[in-house]
Structures are given as C-alpha cells and as structure tokens.
Amino acid sequence: MSKMFSPWHINKLIVPNRLVRSATWEGLAEEDGRASEQLHELYQTLAANKVGMIVTGLLAVSKRGKAAVRQMRIDDDRLLPYLARLVQEVHGKGAVIAAQLAHAGGQTMNKAIDGLAPLAPSAGVNLASKAQMEELSLAQIEEIIADFVSAALRAQKAGFDAVQLHMAHAYLISQFLSPFTNQRTDRYGGSAENRRRFALEVTAAVRRALGPDYPLLIKINALDEAVANGLNFEESLMAIKELVKLGVDAVEISGGIGGGDPEHSPSRKVKSAEDEGYFLQYALEVKKAVNVPVISVGGWRSLAEVEKALSQVDAVALSRALICQPNLPQLWYRGESLRAQCTSCNRCFILTPKNGLTCALTYKKEK
C-alpha cells in the first residue's frame, strides 16, 4: 500500500491516512451557526471516501469574528450538541476531524456582522472586502484571545480530535503577522517580534487551556506574496519556530491573501503537474526547521505528484479537488483515477455564497 494511505500521528492522535481535507468555507450553516443537513451529509461523504482528517470550514470564535453569512460558529455553549453530532458522524465513517478556529478580523463584510465595522490590527480599507476597518483596542485584543480559548475548549468538549488555529489568508492572526495589514505602533506592531505577539499569545493561551496532550495545529502563510510589503518567508519561519516551541503539534503551510494578484492567491490556477504544490518548497523548508508534522496544501491534483510530495512531507491537504470530487481519495485508493477532474476555474467561490459549497462542473451538469 502507498504511503498515502498509511497512518501518522499528531501528538497522540492517530490519523488513518495522509490525505487532509483543508478547511474550506462551505456556506452551509444555518442562521444561528449550526451545520445544515447538507453540511452533515458532505462531511460524512468525505469521511466515507477515505479522507483521513477533515478540517472544518472556519468556525467563528465570536459573532463579530465571522467572515461571511452562513458560516459555522463555535462561540456559544448552546452549539455544543450540534458540533458533537458532526464529530460523531465523521468518526462513524472512519475519519478524524479538527475544528478550525478563526476570527476574520478585517476580512469580512459588514452584513456578516450585523452592519458593524470589521475589527483589525489597524484602521483602513480591507483589500478583499473593501470594508472600512476599525483598529482593535488593547482591551478588545484581550477579549479575542479569550474568545479563542473558549472556542478551543468547546471544540475539545464537543469531541473534536484536534483544533487548528487559522493564521493564514489575511484573517485576523494573519493580519497581525503581516506588515501590510499591521501598522500599529504599540507592543503588537512595528517590529516583526511585536507583530508575532498576538499569534504567540493566542497559541500559548489555547495550549494552556487544552493541556499538553490535545492536538493543536496551525494553518499559516509562508508569505503573503500578492502584495508589496507583505509577510515574507523569513519572518514566517521565525514565527513557526516560536509557535512550535509553545506547543503547536502540526503545521499546514499555505500562502497569499484575498483581494490581491490572483496568480499569487491561496487558490491558483493548476493547468499541469508542474503547477501543483505551489507552496511545497516552503513546506520543505519548514520541515527542516521543526520537529512536528508538516502538511502541504496548494493545488494538489494528481496521484503521482501527491505521492512525490509525501516522500518529503507528512501529509497533503486538498480543497478544490474535493469540492469537485468528494470521492477522490477513494478513487485513488482503488487505482481508478490518476488525476482530479477539478480545472481550477475557481467558480466554486462565485457559486458558494448563493448555493452553498458547489463545484461549477457539477452545477453545469445539474442545469
């Protein structure tokens, strides 16, 4: 059997294989933040088709931290039974599941947060949402750190196998890390050391709350790349090293921010095998620098390229390919497919806000 379908460990968690469903906003939550029946069905389908670990679509740690409407939340104890049901269903199909905890910061739209101004490290107009952002006060920063801790404890109580802190794609923690979005002059801004402070404080607080044995992952930009004066890889690597020292158990390496050059976004065009794994080079450098598992995300489409990557990193994460074909891992396991059908058209991002998570190829067939 190929390495792709061999087990691996994150802390004390055994993950059944090395194919990870990378966190993907599904637009399939109810108005109160619960998963819809359609989302329950999607997760069960992924788990039944040999996705080893599902990382949820970003779970909002506070109501004002939502990125979009119809987004799942984890900011209220009343949501615990519904989250627990999602976990039990995934476990019943043989996969493990991690809760991705996120605060959108400035990367949201006013309508998602009841018309309020998005909160960010610094005031200004957000590149992607075009919303006018409000600078966070020190007191608000402390509240958000507490929100991450409360969300992590809820995830643990609901039975999630792990939590992942979203530090990529210009969401709040990413915004603090990047000189492009962080122009603060207090202890949370200015130098690279100060810009790392929020990420480190969130991580340290979450790790203390969860205890040493509960798996804690991060998804982080290797670099912003799409903008001038963005986070560079040298600074990102320093942050990753410090985060691992604080108790991070696995690192998913991504990159890019929304609203910038589409050729350098988190979701790029993949036309050939040479285009796959566009963040792999950074994942390999991270792998040399830390002693925890490293997950590579970024345009994986073909069985051969994934197998090559797995000779160098611990796991590979897929998103758009699984939107197109939730059964792709099963097809690879059976040897029935060598390449995903996904064309990287990115029309799923246009269709999802209105329809829920939707592949354009499937949508065309249904029409």
Side-chain angles (χ1 to χ4, degrees), residues 52-87:
M53 179 167 71
I54 296 171
V55 184
T56 65
L58 65 171
L59 298 172
V61 300
S62 68
K63 194 170 182 181
R64 200 165 175 180
K66 286 176 62 181
V69 297
R70 301 180 70 196
Q71 178 188 343
M72 282 199 295
R73 289 163 48 194
I74 193 168
D75 62 324
D76 193 313
D77 286 346
R78 67 177 175 76
L79 294 167
L80 280 170
Y82 308 108
L83 293 166
R85 177 191 161 193
L86 203 62
V87 171

Side-chain angles (χ1 to χ4, degrees), residues 92 126 137 205 269 271:
N126 183 268
S137 68
K269 297 290 185 182
K271 298 177 181 178

Side-chain angles (χ1 to χ4, degrees), residues 34-282:
R34 291 181 289 123
S36 66
E37 290 303 314
Q38 191 177 348
L39 186 54
H40 281 280
E41 292 171 8
L42 171 63
Y43 280 25
Q44 290 181 69
T45 298
L46 289 167
N49 278 283
K50 294 194 176 297
V51 173
M53 179 167 71
I54 296 171
V55 184
T56 65
L58 65 171
L59 298 172
V61 300
S62 68
K63 194 170 182 181
R64 200 165 175 180
K66 286 176 62 181
V69 297
R70 301 180 70 196
Q71 178 188 343
M72 282 199 295
R73 289 163 48 194
I74 193 168
D75 62 324
D76 193 313
D77 286 346
R78 67 177 175 76
L79 294 167
L80 280 170
Y82 308 108
L83 293 166
R85 177 191 161 193
L86 203 62
V87 171
Q88 291 160 8
E89 290 170 346
V90 168
H91 286 171
K93 300 296 183 180
V96 300
I97 182 168
Q100 188 189 68
L101 309 182
H103 190 295
Q107 192 93 322
T108 186
M109 296 184 181
N110 301 83
K111 65 180 180 180
I113 52 174
D114 299 330
L116 299 171
L119 298 172
S122 304
V125 177
N126 183 268
L127 187 65
S129 70
K130 311 305 180 188
Q132 181 65 46
M133 302 177 293
E134 179 182 300
E135 181 169 305
L136 282 159
S137 68
L138 293 178
Q140 287 172 321
I141 289 173
E142 292 300 320
E143 289 173 6
I144 291 172
I145 293 171
D147 288 338
F148 271 100
V149 171
S150 296
L153 289 171
R154 285 189 192 97
Q156 188 179 44
K157 190 172 182 179
F160 283 94
D161 300 289
V163 298
Q164 183 186 71
L165 302 177
H166 195 350
M167 300 187 177
H169 307 168
Y171 290 98
L172 185 61
I173 301 179
S174 173
Q175 290 164 25
F176 269 97
L177 288 168
S178 175
F180 178 74
T181 45
N182 184 350
Q183 287 92 46
R184 299 178 73 97
T185 57
D186 61 9
R187 67 178 185 268
Y188 289 99
S191 67
E193 181 180 4
N194 281 353
R195 285 186 277 105
R196 290 195 291 272
R197 190 182 305 277
F198 181 68
L200 297 174
E201 289 182 352
V202 170
T203 301
V206 168
R207 172 47 81 199
R208 283 193 301 270
L210 294 175
D213 297 330
Y214 189 85
L216 176 59
L217 299 81
I218 59 171
K219 183 173 186 175
I220 191 168
N221 275 9
L223 69 173
D224 290 345
E225 203 170 15
V227 294
N229 195 35
L231 180 72
N232 62 46
F233 181 60
E234 182 180 344
E235 287 188 7
S236 177
L237 186 59
M238 182 60 70
I240 291 166
K241 289 177 181 178
E242 293 187 21
L243 290 161
V244 168
K245 286 180 182 177
L246 288 174
V248 165
D249 296 309
V251 183
E252 182 179 358
I253 299 298
S254 189
I257 61 176
D261 175 4
E263 294 301 313
H264 297 94
S265 77
S267 304
R268 304 176 187 180
K269 297 290 185 182
V270 178
K271 298 177 181 178
S272 66
E274 289 72 27
D275 298 329
E276 296 183 42
Y278 38 80
F279 298 123
L280 178 61
Q281 60 180 312
Y282 303 111

